[in-house]
Amino acid sequence: INASLGGDLSHGSRLTTRLTLQYAHTDASNEPVSGLDPANPMVSFLFAGRQLDLSHLRNYALIDGQQAFPTPQFENNPYWDVYADQNADLRDRAIGVLSAAYDLTPWITASVRTGMDWSHDRWVQRYAYGSVGILEGGAESRDAIRSYQENNTDVLVSAQHPLSRAFATSLDLGYSRRSGRVNGPDGCTYGDNTFPFQCAGSRTKVRTNSAYGRVGFSMDSTLFLDVTGRNDWELAGTSAARATFSPSVSSAFVFRDAARTPRASGWLSYGKLRASWSQLGGVGDAPGQPMLPWRILSWEEGLDLGSFGNRMSISATHYDERLLGQTLIATQTGFRAIPMATANRGMEVQLGA
């Protein structure tokens, strides 16, 4: 079941609001099992002999309720997997987003958006008495529930204004807040008298505050420069807040337009040089150990060419990405952090016609 609702509303000439709602319900029963799980019918076909007549297996249970299969201690009857071992996957999900934008001036716009993503999942697995993989040949049932909720709110101010006939600039400043909560999976496993009743569960909370900005410059619509920066403060559980800063710089030069000649003249109809640099920072966790910081540094340079009215094109890119951080190694007295550096560099060329 899927349902959605959305609409826009204008309040005068400056204020616009939008609302979207979505709901989805999934009810999947007796889904196929994959891998080497004993409840996967293909496991029986994989290990059973070729001389096995499948028509004799349709009556998969004997009078006493046990499996009708030549080797029930190793594999299940494939019909038993389908009709005796049952499962179900139930899920409800709802998403709602409310946003508003206001034109402060003809070249400055402020917007705010808030949304929620909520889901509730339930997984059920039933193993009939005598199924392979169940202790003492008994029966077993597994029931797990997981609920998830994430809330996102962001505020953004954008400005675009020409400084002159040749120069233009743009600016974006924003703040966002993300909070999430995961309950579960809370699961219980229970069987007959040979298997004890067991339950387990977990609770997780995450909150991230972010401030970010971008400033862009352009000259004669041929030379472009963008500078961005983002700072994240992440708080998980009872841990202290982690702050990471991620800057980037990108530039492009459309030298074909700078030539001031008609595009149709000559063999070169498009030409652009581009270059960018970025840094992504973060902090990783190790069980019982201090947080270990890491950084990813990326460089990229490229050339784009188009010929004969862009009927033919070529794009060449050189990239270099490096991961700088720390890793833990086991010692006789515990763990020790050592520097770690990996690199990924190469060249890509794409032709089009």
Side-chain angles (χ1 to χ4, degrees):
I1 299 176
N2 292 278
S4 61
L5 175 66
D8 298 338
L9 182 61
S10 297
H11 309 269
S13 60
R14 292 189 175 187
L15 179 61
T16 302
T17 58
R18 171 177 294 182
L19 174 66
T20 59
L21 300 173
Q22 296 178 340
Y23 171 77
H25 173 75
T26 303
D27 186 348
S29 300
N30 209 19
E31 293 182 305
V33 180
S34 61
L36 292 177
D37 192 300
N40 181 4
M42 299 306 298
V43 173
S44 302
F45 295 131
L46 180 64
F47 293 104
R50 296 186 178 182
Q51 77 284 358
L52 187 63
D53 190 346
L54 296 181
S55 62
H56 294 166
L57 303 179
R58 293 183 181 274
N59 296 323
Y60 55 87
L62 302 174
I63 298 178
D64 59 358
Q66 295 295 323
Q67 288 197 60
F69 197 64
T71 56
Q73 68 274 27
F74 300 113
E75 300 94 28
N76 289 329
N77 183 314
Y79 290 94
W80 178 281
D81 288 328
V82 175
Y83 298 107
D85 291 342
Q86 298 286 313
N87 64 69
D89 184 0
L90 307 175
R91 187 180 194 188
D92 292 285
R93 186 179 185 185
I95 301 175
V97 179
L98 176 63
S99 62
Y102 185 77
D103 295 330
L104 299 174
T105 69
W107 52 279
I108 300 179
T109 301
S111 61
V112 60
R113 179 180 59 180
T114 184
M116 182 192 70
D117 186 349
W118 172 88
S119 66
H120 181 83
D121 305 326
R122 182 187 180 192
W123 304 280
V124 179
Q125 179 70 61
R126 305 282 189 258
Y127 294 98
Y129 186 87
S131 296
V132 174
I134 307 304
L135 295 178
E136 304 295 336
E140 183 178 311
S141 180
R142 301 171 184 173
D143 201 329
I145 295 177
R146 174 183 177 271
S147 63
Y148 170 82
Q149 180 175 331
E150 179 176 313
N151 299 303
N152 288 276
T153 301
D154 56 71
V155 179
L156 179 66
V157 177
S158 301
Q160 290 185 336
H161 189 66
L163 302 179
S164 66
R165 300 182 64 179
F167 293 91
T169 183
S170 61
L171 177 68
D172 295 318
L173 296 175
Y175 169 82
S176 65
R177 178 184 176 91
R178 168 183 170 266
S179 60
R181 182 179 72 249
V182 179
N183 295 331
D186 298 331
C188 291
T189 302
Y190 48 92
D192 55 16
N193 294 332
T194 62
F195 192 85
F197 185 86
Q198 297 179 351
C199 288
S202 62
R203 301 289 185 272
T204 303
K205 290 184 178 181
V206 177
R207 186 171 71 248
T208 303
N209 296 322
S210 304
Y212 45 89
R214 183 196 69 87
V215 59
F217 302 94
S218 65
M219 184 180 68
D220 290 331
S221 297
T222 59
L223 185 61
F224 303 89
L225 176 66
D226 276 352
V227 180
T228 70
R230 180 185 181 97
N231 203 95
D232 297 316
W233 297 268
E234 182 178 358
L235 181 63
T238 58
S239 303
R242 319 165 185 174
T244 57
F245 179 66
S246 303
S248 73
V249 179
S250 62
S251 61
F253 175 49
V254 186
F255 56 86
R256 179 61 185 83
D257 291 348
R260 302 299 184 186
T261 58
R263 288 179 176 269
S265 65
W267 64 272
L268 184 62
S269 55
Y270 181 77
K272 180 175 74 172
L273 288 171
R274 47 187 168 81
S276 64
W277 171 88
S278 65
Q279 173 182 290
L280 178 64
V283 178
D285 282 332
Q289 302 298 321
M291 295 180 293
L292 301 179
W294 54 265
R295 290 185 302 156
I296 297 179
L297 301 177
S298 300
W299 295 266
E300 184 176 302
E301 307 88 30
L303 172 66
D304 300 325
L305 298 175
S307 300
F308 308 109
N310 289 331
R311 293 182 178 88
M312 298 181 63
S313 63
I314 180 173
S315 178
T317 302
H318 173 264
Y319 60 89
D320 189 335
E321 182 178 281
R322 302 178 186 180
L323 171 62
L324 307 177
Q326 296 180 340
T327 186
L328 292 177
I329 61 172
T331 65
Q332 294 181 348
T333 58
F335 291 89
R336 181 167 62 91
I338 62 174
M340 177 186 64
T342 60
N344 178 27
R345 58 176 64 96
M347 183 80 178
E348 295 180 353
V349 178
Q350 181 177 358
L351 300 176

